[in-house]
Amino acid sequence: MFNFSRARSQARQNRSLSLGGLDYADPKKKNNYFGKFLLTASLTALCIFMLKQSPTFNTPSVFSIHEPGVTHVLVTGGAGYIGSHAALRLLKDSYRVTIVDNLSRGNLGAVKVLQELFPEPGRLQFIYADLGDAKAVNKIFSENAFDAVMHFAAVAYVGESTQFPLKYYHNITSNTLVVLETMAAHKVKTLIYSSTCATYGEPDTMPITEETPQVPINPYGKAKKMAEDIILDFSKNSNMAVMILRYFNVIGSDPEGRLGEAPRPELGEHGRISGACFDAARGIMPGLQIKGTDYKTSDGTCVRDYIDVTDLVDAHVKALQKAKPRKVGIYNVGTGKGSSVKEFVEACKKATGVEIKIDYLPRRPGDYAEVYSDPSKIRKELNWTAKHTNLKESLATAWRWQKLHRNGYGSTSSSVSVY
């Protein structure tokens, strides 16, 4: 005969008891679970106790404290071309800097360079975030004690803006509103806003002064003007110190070769003419395309005011130093001299030593014939004057960086400190 009693007895020991539709666990298994829970809780309590004994456990970050004699500047878009150069200048001048960037156009490699140059605690931090995320932006302001904001972060290509206008209104206008609202909520008192000469459109007379009517003709310029209007309306009932810098076409790079311009390859068709010249000189592109030769200018090509990035960031620092509560300063940042695209290309050929092939094409949508500044106001009020006004020299400086960084900043994400 088969002995069923032992098997049935063992089975009962390994299953729950069912009484009236309710399951009751085996007491031995319950005790085992309780023991594991007690051990886990004890270890967790021990870890917390040990952490609290650490001298740094309750020590707030220096970035979260307003420190006498130290100005903490939030640089939005600080991983980008202009923003990274501004961060470099601020750090050299002993400012405390927080960079916020979503890296859609910026480069982690630029941040890495800055971290290597200024490794001391409390000098520089990088936060990966999108300014379109209001909750994330509020969290950043809650955890940091900012004294001022330099707002560079923006998509900034005229041609691209005509193809994707909603992207530009969202990225420029909406995101600026988020930054401004958060600054007001956290009582950050100084804003240096990065604007553009594109807000003027195509004026009837040259040079452009700050009083020239703003009639932008492309979504990039329109989005920037809308952002300016929001800032100006807010400032009427605020004690915030505001500086709006409308700058012209930016070229050049750090004279010491530490930073440069490294746009994403897929954006090449929309990018700055200097980048296109360098790509042609390096053989990345078969030649340089000049779009538009029938403008009402001396040689038929567009005329622009080219401002060196070193001069541009100097203007931002001077604006920061001169900003006053309840005051709004609006300034054109340019050289006061216009150069045609053909003149620019000739300067690029001399700077690179390469005979670049030129292709002439129809006009690009959204472009205007002639734009150059009258910088007398910024010279008088901020004591600023462009110093790097030789096209060939500015392009030669940028070219040296390009030759040493054929792949831009390369892949450096694994070695950058992100907070």
Side-chain angles (χ1 to χ4, degrees):
M1 295 179 61
F2 295 100
N3 186 354
F4 292 99
S5 61
R6 179 173 176 81
R8 292 175 64 185
S9 175
Q10 290 176 339
R12 283 196 195 97
Q13 293 176 6
N14 292 326
R15 69 170 184 260
S16 299
L17 301 175
S18 181
L19 297 175
L22 300 177
D23 288 336
Y24 292 87
D26 189 321
K28 291 183 178 180
K29 185 174 287 189
K30 184 176 182 180
N31 288 338
N32 188 35
Y33 288 151
F34 179 76
K36 289 181 179 180
F37 172 77
L38 185 62
L39 177 61
T40 302
S42 299
L43 290 173
T44 302
L46 179 61
C47 289
I48 293 173
F49 175 79
M50 292 177 67
L51 281 172
K52 287 186 174 181
Q53 302 313 304
S54 169
T56 61
F57 181 77
N58 291 315
T59 303
S61 163
V62 294
F63 292 94
S64 67
I65 302 170
H66 287 289
E67 186 176 337
V70 177
T71 302
H72 184 184
V73 183
L74 167 61
V75 180
T76 70
Y81 169 45
I82 300 171
S84 62
H85 282 77
L88 173 61
R89 170 62 188 273
L90 289 168
L91 289 163
K92 286 174 65 178
D93 288 359
S94 298
Y95 289 86
R96 176 171 291 154
V97 174
T98 292
I99 291 173
V100 171
D101 203 302
N102 69 358
L103 302 178
S104 62
R105 299 289 166 95
N107 292 279
L108 272 176
V111 178
K112 179 176 182 292
V113 169
L114 295 172
Q115 289 179 335
E116 291 174 345
L117 289 170
F118 301 94
E120 303 87 355
R123 296 302 316 280
L124 169 67
Q125 67 171 338
F126 170 69
I127 300 173
Y128 174 82
D130 191 319
L131 297 180
D133 185 342
K135 289 183 178 179
V137 175
N138 185 68
K139 183 174 185 291
I140 290 168
F141 275 77
S142 298
E143 296 175 351
N144 292 276
F146 299 126
D147 298 297
V149 174
M150 282 191 181
H151 183 29
F152 293 98
V155 286
Y157 295 131
V158 168
E160 184 188 38
S161 78
T162 63
Q163 296 178 13
F164 307 103
L166 297 184
K167 177 178 183 176
Y168 273 66
Y169 292 121
H170 176 80
N171 180 272
I172 294 173
T173 310
S174 297
N175 287 5
T176 298
L177 179 58
V178 170
V179 170
L180 191 62
E181 287 178 328
T182 314
M183 287 180 67
H186 292 273
K187 297 179 172 56
V188 180
K189 298 300 185 183
T190 303
L191 172 64
I192 313 299
Y193 183 61
S194 168
S195 193
T196 171
C197 65
T199 62
Y200 293 113
E202 195 166 15
D204 295 329
T205 59
M206 289 289 139
I208 293 173
T209 71
E210 288 78 3
E211 285 69 43
T212 298
Q214 290 176 285
V215 189
I217 64 173
N218 53 62
Y220 170 57
K222 292 176 183 178
K224 282 287 189 179
K225 184 181 183 301
M226 287 180 185
E228 282 192 19
D229 290 342
I230 291 170
I231 294 168
L232 293 174
D233 285 343
F234 170 76
S235 68
K236 292 174 183 177
N237 297 300
S238 167
N239 62 357
M240 187 178 290
V242 175
M243 293 291 206
I244 296 174
L245 303 185
R246 297 172 183 158
Y247 45 86
F248 289 67
N249 294 66
V250 188
I251 60 172
S253 64
D254 171 43
E256 296 183 42
R258 294 164 294 189
L259 297 172
E261 183 178 12
R264 299 187 182 281
E266 64 269 21
L267 297 170
E269 66 174 297
H270 300 298
R272 293 180 177 85
I273 186 174
S274 56
C277 279
F278 295 148
D279 284 349
R282 290 163 54 186
I284 296 175
M285 301 293 291
L288 178 65
Q289 297 179 341
I290 294 181
K291 298 179 179 181
T293 59
D294 59 346
Y295 290 97
K296 293 180 181 180
T297 59
S298 59
D299 60 21
T301 62
C302 294
V303 171
R304 297 289 182 265
D305 188 340
Y306 296 98
I307 177 74
D308 192 286
V309 68
T310 301
D311 287 328
L312 178 59
V313 299
D314 182 56
H316 280 77
V317 172
K318 282 185 166 59
L320 177 60
Q321 294 168 345
K322 297 283 188 177
K324 295 179 181 180
R326 302 190 67 84
K327 299 291 184 181
V328 177
I330 300 175
Y331 301 97
N332 290 334
V333 187
T335 65
K337 174 188 175 183
S339 300
S340 74
V341 171
K342 284 185 177 179
E343 290 171 336
F344 186 96
V345 172
E346 288 305 311
C348 189
K349 288 179 179 179
K350 293 176 181 177
T352 62
V354 178
E355 187 60 35
I356 300 168
K357 178 179 178 294
I358 308 297
D359 294 320
Y360 295 98
L361 300 176
R363 295 185 183 189
R364 182 176 63 176
D367 269 342
Y368 23 80
E370 187 176 35
V371 173
Y372 62 93
S373 71
D374 176 357
S376 57
K377 182 182 178 184
I378 192 171
R379 180 172 60 245
K380 178 181 178 181
E381 296 186 9
L382 301 189
N383 192 31
W384 177 90
T385 303
K387 298 176 181 177
H388 303 80
T389 58
N390 185 296
L391 270 181
K392 177 188 172 184
E393 291 178 3
S394 291
L395 291 170
T397 299
W399 175 241
R400 285 193 294 272
W401 190 89
Q402 293 287 328
K403 287 194 297 182
L404 293 173
H405 301 82
R406 293 187 173 274
N407 296 316
Y409 287 100
S411 178
T412 56
S413 59
S414 61
S415 57
V416 176
S417 299
V418 180
Y419 300 91

